[in-house]
Amino acid sequence: MLRQYELVERVLAYDPEADEAMLNRAYVYTVQKHGTQKRASGDPYFSHPVEVAGLMTELRLDQQTIITALLHDTVEDTLATIEDIEKNFGPEVARLVDGVTKLSKIEAMGESERAAENLRKFLLAMSEDIRVLLVKLADRLHNMRTLHFIKSADKRRRIAHETMDIYAPLAERVGMYEYMREMQLLAFEQLEPEAYATITGRLATIRSSEGGQVDAIALSIKQALAEAGLKVEVSGREKHPFSIWNKMAERHVSFEQITDIMAFRVLTDSPEDCYRALGVLHTTWQSIPGRFKDYISTPKSNGYRSLHSTLIFENSMRMEVQIRSQEMHQLNEFGFAAHWAYKQHAMPDGQVGWLRDLIEIVDASHDAEELLEHTKLAIYQDRIFAFTPKGALHQLPKGSTPVDLAYSVHSDLGNFAVGAKINGRHMPLRTTLSNGDVVEIIKSRSASPQMAWLGFVVTGKARAAIRRAVRAKEQAEVAAIGRKLYEQIVERLPSKIGKKAVKDAIKRLGLTSEIDLMVAIGTAKIEDRAVMEALVPGSTKHFAEPEDWPKQERAISIRGLTAGMAFHLAACCHPVPGDRIVGLRQAGKGVEVHAIDCLTLASGVDADWLDLSWGETTTGAVGRIRIVLYNRPGTLAEAAGIFAGNRANIAALENVSRDELFSTYEVDLDVNDLAHLTRIVSALRASDAVAEAERI
Ligand code: MN
């Protein structure tokens, strides 16, 4: 274990400005807080945070990160509080420690592939400062290094799984290839002990039988490049057991069939030399087409830069060769961390944050999306991650509410939701969720989705489910209206109606069930006469006059009504086609259609508003107008002539007032649409008989 003075010296070696006293204080703090706690290895617990801090010094990270590493388990595992840490080490360290603590809370949940993906995204989204993630990754790496001390095989496997599924990909994501490889190797050893043993055994055999071949090839590469005047470092290595195993699995091949077990790395002084070296190698040895990759001109999204090529050597062995500059190498192996540390200390004022550095890295990639992705780890800023009380993680769009989460869990949970507890507190269903919220949905079997929810849900799944549920409820209401109408119809029939008659009638009408029949009546899809005829054939003979049947509203079609609900045009405003209309839906009453500027609407009715529009085959609306006629003979006849001339029947006419000069009438006219009505009003105004004409 690193001693206190060793750790402090390491930091001072690359950052002479570091606050020595504070580093010492943090070391003592973690030793005191963890007290006599022990690791599975039998070491005192504080050896772990000290080692994690040591890993951070290898990356030359700043003092705040080193202190965060030292304190990273104190809030989770000891009596220390964030407030106490803030008091002793300042707000920045407190924020970073808080970040690492939050990440620690969500371990051990990923089971399926999907869950793992979610968890990775969650970790990224939560790590608002990349230093939080770096400490977390170092924490995991050290735990993997000491994994073999844990006695329970199940626990070792679980931790190894988590590392393979979540932390190694995250390390790759931020370019920490060193960490990624070591994590994979240690996890692989736990998860596939037999494969691990076989592959490492084979590698050992190759090494002894072909002894020195790696070195020999490395030397010939170096000579070829030296002859061309290039100063390079060449190193050769076997691929590590996990990546060999991965290739075997991916390509379904045996160990013997893996040809490029050896890999070589050429480090140059400049990017230009990389391309020169590539040219030399490609003219000295044969290369395999399709295997050349230029990550210098087009870096990987995590900033990785290198040239890759696969060459065939004398003995027909394939070798992967990676060519990069020394500086690229440094950045590649430790990703953002290296870049950040490098820049931080190169800057005289030391004020440059990692954020701006990342912008510089990805400037080379010319891709706005990538830029955003790197600078803020902000790819997931458009979504949030919330937990169920059992710890299942759900990914939702930003702005989501408990209702969205409920439907994301199960449509029944959404349908029966009546309230929510967010992080243990009762909150309204319309509350916007934040990252990391634990959401408990309170449900009631008698509850049903509310139309008003459509005003705040953001997921399509919730929206569709709410609409479906509301529609089903409306269907039930329509059927209830239909049943009332049906009972009135039956009363007009000469005989009592038995069950069989109803069944036969349903068949005759081409329907399938009694509910269908009620809905058809409620939505006016079939006329009363037809129902009567179906129930008792011949029963409508004495109702021969079609005028007996109110057909006015039946001819109107309106769009926007779910399930063709029963409706009527409001008597207060007499909307006609062409008017902007809305529907008021009151429970058990069907829909009342109003003109948008109707005063009834402004007075605030307790009903759902439906956004409606007129259908195409609309006829038979009634428009109401008021006309003021000069009080002399023939003026009413003249007005009537105008109605007739415009093919508008008078549905009702009422004289509302009369004095010496004027007679005022209110007239209901059957009109086709708003244009029709407007034309009539204009014609009236043009007439000598009419003093005033207006729609009311
Ligand atoms: Mn830890």
Side-chain angles (χ1 to χ4, degrees), residues 45 48 72-73 139 143:
Y45 192 93
H48 164 67
H72 82 268
D73 277 332
D139 172 43
N143 284 337

Side-chain angles (χ1 to χ4, degrees), residues 311-514:
L311 305 178
I312 302 173
F313 286 87
E314 288 79 3
N315 48 10
S316 82
M317 276 177 89
R318 294 161 165 222
M319 309 287 162
E320 187 180 277
V321 181
Q322 301 172 348
I323 308 166
R324 55 181 77 157
S325 73
Q326 297 274 6
E327 192 193 347
M328 288 175 203
H329 180 59
Q330 193 59 26
L331 299 184
N332 288 348
E333 293 309 289
F334 292 106
F336 293 162
H339 191 91
W340 184 74
Y342 173 82
K343 277 302 205 101
Q344 187 82 355
H345 301 295
M347 287 294 179
D349 61 357
Q351 292 300 303
V352 178
W354 60 278
L355 214 71
R356 211 185 307 163
D357 299 330
L358 294 186
I359 295 174
E360 284 171 26
I361 294 183
V362 290
D363 259 354
S365 65
H366 308 294
D367 184 339
E369 211 174 85
E370 265 185 17
L371 185 75
L372 182 74
E373 194 169 318
H374 288 129
T375 50
K376 292 185 75 191
L377 296 173
I379 9 161
Y380 306 120
Q381 302 274 314
D382 60 341
R383 63 194 77 174
I384 58 122
F385 299 83
F387 296 96
T388 67
K390 282 185 184 157
L393 183 60
H394 288 261
Q395 188 190 137
L396 298 161
K398 204 162 202 165
S400 285
T401 62
V403 174
D404 293 292
L405 177 91
Y407 278 109
S408 149
V409 175
H410 195 277
S411 56
D412 273 354
L413 188 59
N415 288 340
F416 296 129
V418 287
K421 272 189 185 175
I422 301 175
N423 303 322
R425 287 180 56 210
H426 276 283
M427 299 295 276
L429 283 172
R430 60 181 322 131
T431 310
T432 302
L433 297 176
S434 312
N435 236 339
D437 278 348
V438 177
V439 184
E440 183 185 344
I441 301 296
I442 300 157
K443 51 182 186 170
S444 155
R445 284 280 148 191
S446 59
S448 63
Q450 301 301 303
M451 192 91 134
W453 292 357
L454 290 173
F456 58 75
V457 297
V458 299
T459 53
K461 195 173 174 191
R463 200 168 284 282
I466 294 165
R467 286 223 179 91
R468 211 178 310 126
V470 168
R471 211 176 295 143
K473 207 164 85 182
E474 281 178 354
Q475 189 85 345
E477 283 171 13
V478 170
I481 294 169
R483 183 159 306 269
K484 272 189 200 138
L485 293 172
Y486 168 81
E487 279 155 13
Q488 291 170 10
I489 292 168
V490 169
E491 270 173 29
R492 294 186 216 141
L493 288 169
S495 54
K496 273 214 153 193
I497 302 300
K499 276 197 173 143
K500 171 133 192 345
V502 177
K503 250 189 184 171
D504 291 346
I506 289 167
K507 219 184 254 170
R508 266 181 218 126
L509 290 164
L511 301 169
T512 51
S513 68
E514 202 171 313

Side-chain angles (χ1 to χ4, degrees), residues 29-104:
Y29 189 90
T30 199
V31 169
Q32 280 178 348
K33 289 293 172 186
H34 287 293
T36 56
Q37 289 173 349
K38 289 256 189 297
R39 298 273 289 173
S41 59
D43 287 338
Y45 192 93
F46 60 78
S47 65
H48 164 67
V50 169
E51 290 300 329
V52 174
L55 284 169
M56 297 285 86
T57 63
E58 284 167 19
L59 298 179
R60 299 163 62 95
L61 290 169
D62 69 329
Q63 166 190 322
Q64 276 78 13
T65 313
I66 306 302
I67 295 174
T68 301
L70 283 170
L71 306 180
H72 82 268
D73 277 332
T74 55
V75 174
E76 180 86 349
D77 297 338
T78 78
L79 296 173
T81 62
I82 287 293
E83 290 72 29
D84 193 37
I85 286 173
E86 176 159 3
K87 209 173 74 203
N88 283 287
F89 304 100
E92 188 176 354
V93 168
R95 184 174 56 77
L96 293 172
V97 171
D98 190 39
V100 181
T101 307
K102 273 185 188 145
L103 294 195
S104 303

Side-chain angles (χ1 to χ4, degrees), residues 30-272:
T30 199
V31 169
Q32 280 178 348
K33 289 293 172 186
H34 287 293
T36 56
Q37 289 173 349
K38 289 256 189 297
R39 298 273 289 173
S41 59
D43 287 338
Y45 192 93
F46 60 78
S47 65
H48 164 67
V50 169
E51 290 300 329
V52 174
L55 284 169
M56 297 285 86
T57 63
E58 284 167 19
L59 298 179
R60 299 163 62 95
L61 290 169
D62 69 329
Q63 166 190 322
Q64 276 78 13
T65 313
I66 306 302
I67 295 174
T68 301
L70 283 170
L71 306 180
H72 82 268
D73 277 332
T74 55
V75 174
E76 180 86 349
D77 297 338
T78 78
L79 296 173
T81 62
I82 287 293
E83 290 72 29
D84 193 37
I85 286 173
E86 176 159 3
K87 209 173 74 203
N88 283 287
F89 304 100
E92 188 176 354
V93 168
R95 184 174 56 77
L96 293 172
V97 171
D98 190 39
V100 181
T101 307
K102 273 185 188 145
L103 294 195
S104 303
K105 280 188 182 150
I106 59 140
E107 279 173 23
M109 275 182 318
E111 275 301 313
S112 66
E113 181 56 33
R114 222 183 108 87
E117 172 64 18
N118 268 347
L119 218 44
R120 286 196 294 270
K121 288 176 182 168
F122 175 70
L123 286 165
L124 274 178
M126 289 297 278
S127 312
E128 278 155 19
D129 190 314
I130 198 164
R131 289 175 291 175
V132 169
L133 191 61
L134 296 178
V135 172
K136 188 66 209 164
L137 291 173
D139 172 43
R140 176 52 59 131
L141 180 60
H142 184 252
N143 284 337
M144 287 304 292
R145 284 180 180 175
T146 53
L147 187 63
H148 57 279
F149 288 116
I150 290 176
K151 287 204 182 67
S152 155
D154 277 355
K155 192 172 176 191
R156 286 200 308 269
R157 283 185 65 82
R158 180 179 64 67
I159 294 172
H161 245 301
E162 211 175 74
T163 301
M164 198 65 109
D165 289 349
I166 295 158
Y167 293 96
L170 270 181
E172 180 181 21
R173 184 65 199 263
V174 294
M176 307 272 294
Y177 286 95
E178 271 306 316
Y179 277 30
M180 176 196 77
R181 276 195 291 267
E182 193 177 341
M183 283 180 186
Q184 283 175 339
L185 191 64
L186 292 164
F188 175 53
E189 189 181 352
Q190 285 297 330
L191 296 171
E192 305 284 347
E194 283 174 26
Y196 178 83
T198 312
I199 292 172
T200 45
R202 297 275 188 103
L203 286 173
T205 314
I206 291 177
R207 217 173 294 137
S208 60
S209 67
E210 302 180 356
Q213 202 178 17
V214 171
D215 291 343
I217 294 172
L219 193 65
S220 58
I221 291 176
K222 189 165 180 156
Q223 276 170 353
L225 294 173
E227 277 164 26
L230 286 162
K231 197 170 127 270
V232 295
E233 267 176 45
V234 180
S235 58
R237 64 191 166 89
E238 291 147 357
K239 289 235 164 116
H240 85 69
F242 176 70
S243 81
I244 292 174
W245 185 80
N246 236 358
K247 280 214 167 115
M248 287 165 64
E250 260 173 33
R251 300 187 200 157
H252 303 285
V253 294
S254 67
F255 185 86
E256 286 72 20
Q257 288 169 286
I258 300 271
T259 46
D260 42 359
I261 282 170
M262 277 182 259
F264 295 87
R265 191 170 283 153
V266 177
L267 300 182
T268 69
D269 284 342
S270 69
E272 295 74 28

